[in-house]
Amino acid sequence: MTSLPTLAKGRSAAGKPLHLVGFRVGNEEYCFEILTVQEIIRIVPITAVPDAPEHVEGIINLRGRIVPIIDFRRRFRITGERTVDEADRVIVVTGTGNATVGFIVDGVSQVMKLPAEDLSPAPAGGAGCDAEAIRGVGNVGDRLVIVLDLDKMFSADELTTLTGVS
């Protein structure tokens, strides 16, 4: 049996269930570890930032803290246009070093527990250039969910540029 990766905050995945927040983008379901999710908010007015990367929608002021907002679809090159509707949300997440970003998603699905033995490694070479951001693929009922590793979604330089946190 392959050993599972170490989770953020130094906890071992072996034998312990993962506590995840699931969300939808297009037809797929993704998850962040629940401890990285600061909050989930409705879409609010977003201030555009000149010369920002294409996937950066802009910034918001979240109770005095400036948070960059990332369009998940554009960041991970998911095809299909995003249509704005009532289900859209911003998932505000905080990674290692207190770098906080928000992701625009099509909807939040559920909080779930995934037994560690139900997490399979991401398929090698099949997930494109951002494959390192995928911690693994989990079976939840009759569907597959993609478990993301927040700390590997951006390079250190990109995260510093986005958040000012190095």
Side-chain angles (χ1 to χ4, degrees):
M1 182 167 123
T2 309
S3 92
L4 294 172
T6 300
L7 297 176
K9 319 262 188 293
R11 290 176 289 114
S12 171
K16 295 189 180 188
L18 302 171
H19 296 268
L20 306 166
V21 174
F23 59 94
R24 290 178 295 95
V25 177
N27 294 324
E28 303 303 325
E29 190 167 4
Y30 300 87
C31 299
F32 283 124
E33 185 180 358
I34 200 166
L35 293 177
T36 65
V37 177
Q38 182 178 329
E39 62 187 286
I40 299 165
I41 60 174
R42 293 184 184 276
I43 301 286
V44 297
I46 299 170
T47 302
V49 177
D51 293 327
E54 180 182 311
H55 58 271
V56 176
E57 194 75 18
I59 56 175
I60 63 170
N61 184 331
L62 186 63
R63 289 181 299 287
R65 187 170 188 181
I66 302 302
V67 177
I69 303 299
I70 308 299
D71 184 316
F72 193 92
R73 284 178 184 275
R74 279 189 262 160
R75 173 64 178 88
F76 293 100
R77 295 174 297 286
I78 297 171
T79 58
E81 280 298 309
R82 180 171 65 88
T83 56
V84 179
D85 66 27
E86 273 298 305
D88 289 356
R89 295 291 183 265
V90 174
I91 298 180
V92 180
V93 292
T94 302
T96 302
N98 273 345
T100 300
V101 296
F103 288 98
I104 297 174
V105 299
D106 295 341
V108 176
S109 55
Q110 65 183 5
V111 174
M112 63 189 92
K113 244 192 248 190
L114 179 68
E117 59 271 9
D118 289 350
L119 184 67
S120 301
C129 65
D130 290 307
E132 64 274 1
I134 299 174
R135 177 174 292 152
V137 178
N139 290 307
V140 177
D142 61 347
R143 66 191 196 283
L144 294 176
V145 296
I146 299 168
V147 181
L148 299 170
D149 186 336
L150 177 62
D151 291 330
K152 293 184 180 174
M153 293 178 87
F154 302 99
S155 70
D157 288 342
E158 186 177 18
L159 201 55
T160 299
T161 301
L162 287 173
T163 65
V165 175
S166 54

